Amino acid sequence: MRGQSPCRAEDKAMSKKALITGITGQDGSYLAELLLQKGYEVHGIIRRSSSFNTERLDGIYRDRHEKGAKIFLHFGDLSDPSSMIKILGETQPDEIYNLAAQSHVRVSFDIPEFTGDVTGLGTVRLLDAMRQVTPKARFYQASSSEMYGLVQEVPQKETTPFYPRSPYAVAKVYSYWITVNYRESYGLHASNGILFNHESPRRGETFVTRKITRAVARIHAGLQEKLFLGNLESKRDWGYAPEYVEGMWRMLQQEKPDDYVLATGETHSVQEFVEVAFARAKLDWKKHVAFDERYLRPAEVDLLIGDAAKAKKQLGWVPKVKFKELTEIMVDADIQQLAEERAGKRIRE
């Protein structure tokens, strides 16, 4: 119409709504920040519990009060399809990011049925709710490099066959294929992001990278003497989480849904991570690291390294933070956090 300016891409983003499952996790909190910066109204699903688990969102909520950031949390659970239908109906999101899961690989061997229910069947519950309530929305499924398991090809790319080696990885393979199935069966805009390991200071404390960097901080402060680890020879492709959530967003901006690997294309062993982390604090890792067989998995994944050429070509996604810098970012953050805790400036629950 005369007198109106053309609609730009950023103007469209201003009116978008996004729904994030797993918003309280590492990726969920970074993704929420990214989407809020882009002008989205962000909704997150959290499970009701007797204790709060929203520490990663504290800064975002301060922005909500100080800068008017539009973020809202809803109680729901991927094991409860009625809550998914209710939340989708109330929020009517343009984009849905399914990041929720029982995501600890070692723990999945101890609770395989729960892992399968939440990490696997939870995805089809959400997809089916989307099919019924918001079929025009765009859907992102957080797939995992663990699906490659006993690798059939080096490096791993979108066409590499899966060979999962844990209940977690098996559940993720189910989620991957049910996402493809709903895309092809119902015409949903549903994409899989096969993300290789991505870390940050917000990584959960039971994951090996954060376990290492927290131990380095405590040893550096004289509060701990030993760090017990399992397989030091496992090799992973480690990237920086804030860059990976941008890749998620880029997938849902494409005209057609598809599946993409996000990775750095480099592989490093757990021992290499240990060496860089301890060196950052000027410590000799050999004096402090010990082996404990309790941390071994019943079936190990020895080598993961991804080929993100497709994401680079089609999404324009290129990781910038590489292994050494990532490790040092995490060590520095944990040393600073511990210092703040000891000074009484930060309270840990």
Side-chain angles (χ1 to χ4, degrees):
M1 294 176 62
R2 190 169 57 186
Q4 290 185 335
S5 60
C7 183
R8 299 173 301 171
E10 55 264 38
D11 294 327
K12 286 185 178 181
M14 291 294 290
S15 62
K16 282 186 178 180
K17 292 182 184 179
L19 176 68
I20 304 172
T21 72
I23 194 171
T24 59
Q26 169 189 256
D27 292 5
S29 62
Y30 281 125
L31 179 61
E33 287 180 340
L34 176 71
L35 295 178
L36 289 168
Q37 290 168 6
K38 293 181 178 296
Y40 281 64
E41 179 177 304
V42 174
H43 296 262
I45 297 178
I46 61 172
R47 290 186 296 169
R48 189 181 294 276
S49 68
S50 60
S51 60
F52 291 107
N53 183 32
T54 56
E55 181 180 339
R56 295 183 180 95
L57 302 177
D58 288 346
I60 300 174
Y61 261 82
R62 282 195 295 271
D63 284 347
R64 177 185 180 182
H65 294 293
E66 296 172 6
K67 304 176 184 177
K70 296 180 180 179
I71 180 169
F72 308 93
L73 299 180
H74 308 263
F75 288 114
D77 198 301
L78 287 178
S79 64
D80 176 19
S82 64
S83 68
M84 298 297 102
I85 291 172
K86 180 175 181 289
I87 293 169
L88 287 177
E90 291 175 349
T91 59
Q92 292 292 311
D94 300 289
E95 297 172 5
I96 301 167
Y97 296 86
N98 185 31
L99 310 185
Q102 189 304 100
S103 58
H104 198 286
V105 177
R106 179 61 189 84
V107 170
S108 75
F109 286 99
D110 299 322
I111 49 172
E113 185 175 347
F114 176 79
T115 300
D117 185 47
V118 175
T119 306
L121 292 178
T123 301
V124 75
R125 294 184 187 112
L126 183 55
L127 277 166
D128 208 58
M130 172 186 167
R131 178 184 66 83
Q132 297 177 58
V133 182
T134 57
K136 299 299 182 183
R138 297 186 174 191
F139 181 89
Y140 171 84
Q141 169 59 25
S143 292
S144 169
S145 59
E146 288 287 329
M147 299 188 304
Y148 294 119
L150 188 62
V151 297
Q152 304 298 293
E153 181 181 26
V154 178
Q156 295 87 55
K157 51 183 180 288
E158 292 81 5
T159 56
T160 302
F162 300 137
Y163 196 135
R165 297 272 281 172
S166 66
Y168 166 77
V170 171
K172 280 294 187 181
V173 170
Y174 175 85
S175 289
Y176 173 93
W177 282 117
I178 201 66
T179 299
V180 173
N181 181 259
Y182 268 60
R183 178 171 75 212
E184 296 177 349
S185 300
Y186 303 111
L188 300 183
H189 193 297
S191 298
N192 281 291
I194 307 173
L195 273 55
F196 281 65
N197 294 63
H198 46 289
E199 318 295 318
S200 76
R202 297 184 191 175
R203 189 57 144 154
E205 295 171 1
T206 60
F207 290 85
V208 67
T209 51
R210 188 77 196 289
K211 179 180 177 180
I212 293 166
T213 60
R214 286 193 74 237
V216 167
R218 292 179 59 80
I219 292 169
H220 180 263
L223 300 176
Q224 183 173 328
E225 180 61 28
K226 289 289 185 180
L227 166 63
F228 295 93
L229 296 171
N231 185 5
L232 292 179
E233 301 307 313
S234 290
K235 293 184 177 180
R236 295 292 185 271
D237 184 326
W238 277 303
Y240 187 42
E243 296 180 339
Y244 283 56
V245 300
E246 183 185 342
M248 299 176 188
W249 174 78
R250 291 190 181 207
M251 291 178 205
L252 295 199
Q253 310 317 303
Q254 304 305 301
E255 182 179 348
K256 295 181 180 180
D258 206 343
D259 308 315
Y260 301 90
V261 163
L262 298 187
T264 68
E266 297 180 4
T267 188
H268 298 273
S269 68
V270 174
Q271 181 172 315
E272 287 178 83
F273 194 98
V274 166
E275 291 171 355
V276 174
F278 275 82
R280 182 65 172 178
K282 296 181 172 56
L283 296 168
D284 182 355
W285 72 273
K286 293 180 180 179
K287 293 180 179 179
H288 301 284
V289 176
F291 172 75
D292 190 331
E293 64 179 11
R294 291 179 299 172
Y295 297 114
L296 294 177
R297 304 174 184 176
E300 289 286 343
V301 174
D302 297 321
L303 168 67
L304 293 174
I305 178 171
D307 179 357
K310 180 179 177 181
K312 180 179 180 180
K313 180 180 179 180
Q314 294 184 208
L315 306 179
W317 182 85
V318 179
K320 298 179 177 64
V321 176
K322 297 299 178 69
F323 177 74
K324 185 173 185 292
E325 183 182 359
L326 166 66
T327 308
E328 293 178 347
I329 286 172
M330 293 179 66
V331 170
D332 292 349
D334 271 323
I335 288 176
Q336 180 180 346
Q337 178 177 313
L338 182 58
E340 290 174 358
E341 289 170 8
R342 300 185 78 189
K345 296 179 182 179
R346 180 194 292 258
I347 299 175
R348 286 183 60 81
E349 297 297 335

